[in-house]
Amino acid sequence: MKMRAMGRGTFLAVAPFALVAALAVGVALAGFIASPHARVEQAGSVASNASASPAPTAVAVSATAEATASPSSAPSAASSTSGPKSNDAAAMLRVHNELRVAIGAPAVRADDRVTAAAQHHAEYLARAGAIGHDETAGEPGFTGASVRDRLAAQGYVDATASEVAASSDSGTEDVRFLWDLPYHRLGLMHPHAAVAGWGHAEIGGHTATVGVLVFDFAAAAPERVRSPAAGQRVAGSWAGDETPDALPAGATRPVGYPVMVVYSGARSVDLKSAKLTDASGYDVGVSVVPQIYERDYAGIVPTAPLAAGARYRVRLELSVAGTDVVDEWEFETER
């Protein structure tokens, strides 16, 4: 993908905001900005102001479905998201839902107000030749300082919301790109994401793709979603560029495809141990994705690219809302 505007691979973090979920549970969703990147496979976010730059890929399942999934019947990250590039809001939402459904996460629904908020911010960013989450009153195209302000301007008031953004010439590829970044993937795959709107703009040679997510913590949701899902085929490597950095200081890049699990109900998740093994039972080195804003997830990243066309087994020992849980499943890498 051809990226425009702001150079290659720089990522900045926006200050997180606190969510107050139903059931009297507080959750924080982080916001991120990433400037354009030359076809690096990255994606995803959970935040009230998030953004990242473009490239492609996948996400979770119920215990029963995961237990019975086989490599031949399980969804493939590549096949489930292939298709023509498009900057149409409906096409971007379709790709987003393909990524969610491929991992067993419920589809998000469209809302014209949310789509309008995303489109207006995409136009603001493209006009300014920037990627970010804030708008400045008085600047051309201003519709609200924050994503919540922009939603309120469309009549969607008091939303628990998140925003991601990227910059390339293809909105659908930006959606796939955002999915791969661990901290960005959190919001895109989150079990309580209920509504999503996407917008894309190109003004004066500058492009911007914006996704706005609205969360409903009172609604029923899967116990947890995992990416990659059981039996899913995903890319074996990830460039490893994101801010906040999901990798340890001095980590060698590229790395393997990030593995994420997000629990519903805003439950606190503590990772006690993590193990990734190949088909021969050999341990694969991993680093842990730090919990920096939310507490309802765990993530690991293989320290080196994974072998192509191979099967791997994940074993996470967790404490979920104070209860010990062992989460195990297998996934495959593309050939």
Side-chain angles (χ1 to χ4, degrees):
M1 176 178 314
K2 296 178 182 175
M3 314 307 300
R4 303 181 183 180
M6 302 160 55
R8 301 167 60 105
T10 53
F11 297 86
L12 304 174
V14 178
F17 75 106
L19 298 180
V20 178
L23 310 177
V25 181
V27 179
L29 295 185
F32 305 100
I33 298 176
S35 40
H37 200 87
R39 196 169 181 79
V40 175
E41 298 193 349
Q42 301 167 317
S45 147
V46 88
S48 167
N49 279 19
S51 159
S53 40
T57 302
V59 80
V61 185
S62 72
T64 301
E66 290 165 332
T68 58
S70 67
S72 60
S73 63
S76 162
S79 63
S80 66
T81 59
S82 61
K85 297 178 181 180
S86 175
N87 295 326
D88 178 70
M92 289 185 278
L93 181 65
R94 173 185 56 77
V95 170
H96 184 190
N97 273 327
E98 286 176 350
L99 292 166
R100 287 180 63 83
V101 170
I103 59 159
V108 289
R109 67 182 184 274
D111 185 292
D112 289 345
R113 298 168 295 178
V114 181
T115 300
Q119 181 62 35
H120 289 322
H121 190 51
E123 292 168 0
Y124 176 93
L125 294 175
R127 188 174 285 109
I131 289 294
H133 306 295
D134 298 328
E135 294 187 10
T136 302
E139 292 295 320
F142 174 82
T143 55
S146 70
V147 63
R148 284 178 59 115
D149 295 333
R150 294 187 286 274
L151 284 169
Q154 297 300 321
Y156 206 122
V157 182
D158 295 329
T160 296
S162 165
E163 182 182 83
V164 295
S167 175
S168 84
D169 56 3
S170 170
T172 49
E173 288 300 287
D174 285 349
V175 177
R176 296 183 179 103
F177 169 79
L178 289 164
W179 186 269
D180 289 348
L181 296 148
Y183 288 129
H184 289 73
R185 193 191 309 175
L186 286 173
L188 295 175
M189 72 179 280
H190 202 285
H192 284 290
V195 181
W198 290 88
H200 180 90
E202 181 171 358
I203 299 174
H206 301 293
T207 63
T209 299
V210 172
V212 174
L213 306 168
V214 178
F215 301 85
D216 184 354
F217 283 85
E223 178 189 10
R224 49 90 172 88
V225 291
R226 308 187 300 201
S227 173
Q232 189 175 23
R233 296 181 184 91
V234 297
S237 66
W238 171 53
D241 298 322
E242 185 178 21
T243 297
D245 196 348
L247 305 179
T252 300
R253 303 155 204 256
V255 291
Y257 191 77
V259 176
M260 308 289 295
V261 58
V262 186
Y263 277 77
S264 61
R267 287 171 290 172
S268 179
V269 175
D270 293 303
L271 179 60
K272 300 168 70 175
S273 72
K275 190 172 187 178
L276 182 66
T277 53
D278 64 18
S280 298
Y282 291 106
D283 288 348
V284 175
V286 298
S287 60
V288 174
V289 177
Q291 289 181 323
I292 55 176
Y293 298 124
E294 303 119 78
R295 290 291 313 281
D296 58 356
Y297 72 94
I300 59 173
V301 181
T303 56
L306 301 175
R311 179 179 291 196
Y312 292 89
R313 184 170 188 81
V314 183
R315 177 184 171 89
L316 303 179
E317 294 185 9
L318 307 164
S319 175
V320 180
T323 300
D324 289 342
V325 172
V326 176
D327 208 350
E328 292 186 277
W329 74 100
E330 295 183 354
F331 68 91
E332 295 185 354
T333 53
E334 298 167 348
R335 295 186 181 280

